[in-house]
Amino acid sequence: METLNGDERCATMAKIQDACENWGFFELVNHGIAHELLDKVETMTKEHYKKCMEQRFKDMVAEKALEGVKAEVTDIDWESTFFLRHLPTSNISEIPDLEDEYRELMKDFAAKLEKLAEELLDLLCENLGLEKGYLKKAFYGSKGPNFGTKVSNYPPCPTPDLIKGLRAHTDAGGIILLFQDDKVSGLQLLKDGEWVDVPPMRHSIVINLGDQIEVITNGKYKSVMHRVIAQTDGTRMSLASFYNPGNDAVIYPAPALLEKEPKENEQSYPKFVFDDYMKLYAGLKFQAKEPRFEAMKAAVEANVTLGAVATA
């Protein structure tokens, strides 16, 4: 990202544009978050997993008899996880078993990521020809954005061909910032029908776009299916931070982008309240996104409640 401040800005913006249009993912270096902070987050996250989460995960595996499965498991993921909410209000003080130093560290880390997310949203606006701040404003709702971190560990798995670390899905929200293990791999994205590895790179932040960005850009930028492959060796750490619209934010294609569309492409995406989309997504996360968009469109057109759509 340092190149955004010099002669290479144009070329770097073009790389970001290509990534958003054709990949849905890109990997950032020189992003302004100190390496020392990232190292400390990694060390303390791994220590917390060992001390507080590992045994719970082993107990869950034993309880669900996942150790010696003989057929593919499609209803559960091989992951140990907990969720930290930062905005609109933080729940970090309420999470049990966290050391005070780790709580403070994660607050600091979240503040840096929030700033980076908003910087990236403005870079996307610039590439899209939208006014600066448009995406942040679109996400704002009445209480500001939702922002939280899913802290995950993917322990060694004896049958990675039969159980995924995390099943294939697109992310429901806005922009996702991932700080992942730099040694143990596993993250893959779907590109032209093929699964492509997202390689671990020390001190990098992996960015991917969620469904709301696809809607606001009227499909110019796409959310992309991705998954985590379980590994037989090593535990993979993953901290995925989701900068999402506020619950009551109304999401719809940006009018400035629709003006540039040929008539047949005009507003192919629905207008909806973000929380309504999340309620639908909760039951359909591991399915294709297109039926979710269609269901939201149908709900709006028929002016029915989501409850009725979900049972239809």
Side-chain angles (χ1 to χ4, degrees):
M1 286 185 78
E2 279 181 355
T3 56
L4 289 168
N5 302 320
D7 299 342
E8 294 172 62
R9 181 181 174 82
C10 213
T12 304
M13 291 297 284
K15 273 186 195 172
I16 294 171
Q17 177 85 327
D18 176 60
C20 292
E21 288 185 350
N22 300 309
W23 291 85
F25 272 77
F26 51 99
E27 201 153 358
L28 290 181
V29 293
N30 299 324
H31 38 62
I33 300 177
H35 290 181
E36 295 77 17
L37 177 63
L38 295 176
D39 289 342
K40 195 166 184 188
V41 166
E42 181 174 357
T43 299
M44 292 201 76
T45 299
K46 288 180 175 179
E47 282 173 358
H48 175 263
Y49 170 72
K50 277 274 179 217
K51 188 175 157 191
C52 302
M53 306 289 288
E54 188 172 38
Q55 191 54 50
R56 280 182 222 164
F57 181 77
K58 288 176 178 173
D59 292 346
M60 184 275 289
V61 167
E63 184 191 324
K64 298 189 182 297
L66 295 175
E67 194 75 58
V69 292
K70 298 285 187 282
E72 188 175 5
V73 177
T74 57
D75 62 346
I76 197 166
D77 301 306
W78 190 269
E79 68 170 354
S80 166
T81 184
F82 65 96
F83 193 80
L84 299 174
R85 189 178 67 246
H86 313 302
L87 295 174
T89 53
S90 172
N91 72 345
I92 290 183
S93 62
E94 298 154 29
I95 304 291
D97 305 327
L98 298 185
E99 291 182 11
D100 288 344
E101 187 185 1
Y102 188 45
R103 289 183 210 274
E104 291 308 311
L105 179 69
M106 292 307 280
K107 283 181 190 172
D108 185 22
F109 183 47
K112 302 277 195 303
L113 287 171
E114 181 191 345
K115 182 171 174 282
L116 179 58
E118 291 176 354
E119 201 178 321
L120 287 166
L121 288 176
D122 276 344
L123 293 176
L124 266 54
C125 285
E126 188 178 330
N127 269 337
L128 289 161
L130 295 171
E131 63 182 287
K132 187 176 180 179
Y134 182 90
L135 289 170
K136 182 180 175 181
K137 196 172 168 188
F139 281 19
Y140 204 80
S142 64
K143 296 188 179 78
N146 280 302
F147 185 48
T149 301
K150 181 186 174 193
V151 181
S152 305
N153 280 275
Y154 298 90
C157 177
T159 53
D161 51 330
L162 297 177
I163 185 164
K164 296 284 182 292
L166 182 58
R167 289 160 285 168
H169 63 287
T170 66
D171 289 327
I175 190 164
I176 298 86
L177 303 91
L178 170 70
F179 175 43
Q180 65 168 344
D181 205 288
D182 65 338
K183 294 182 181 66
V184 183
S185 62
L187 179 62
Q188 296 182 328
L189 62 87
L190 192 62
K191 169 72 172 159
D192 302 328
E194 301 281 331
W195 287 105
V196 178
D197 290 329
V198 179
M201 193 192 302
R202 190 153 168 74
H203 298 137
S204 73
I205 303 284
V206 177
I207 307 299
N208 72 283
L209 307 180
D211 294 348
Q212 308 311 305
I213 294 285
E214 179 165 337
V215 172
I216 293 170
T217 65
N218 205 42
K220 185 174 173 67
Y221 292 171
K222 295 281 196 295
S223 61
V224 166
M225 291 287 273
H226 52 285
R227 67 183 186 183
V228 176
I229 298 297
Q231 306 292 325
T232 51
D233 296 311
T235 295
R236 174 180 175 264
M237 179 203 74
S238 158
L239 290 94
S241 296
F242 299 82
Y243 189 101
N244 291 348
N247 289 353
D248 63 353
V250 180
I251 303 299
Y252 53 91
L257 296 180
L258 289 179
E259 286 166 11
K260 302 174 189 173
E261 291 277 10
K263 259 292 185 240
E264 63 273 16
N265 288 357
E266 235 178 61
Q267 194 144 359
S268 51
Y269 287 83
K271 178 178 184 175
F272 52 82
V273 175
F274 178 64
D275 196 42
D276 288 344
Y277 187 84
M278 288 307 288
K279 286 172 186 164
L280 182 71
Y281 178 85
L284 303 172
K285 175 176 177 175
F286 298 109
Q287 297 176 30
K289 62 189 169 183
E290 289 77 13
R292 296 198 292 266
F293 293 147
E294 288 306 314
M296 294 309 299
K297 197 184 277 189
V300 171
E301 285 169 2
N303 200 21
V304 295
T305 66
L306 258 183
V309 174
T311 54

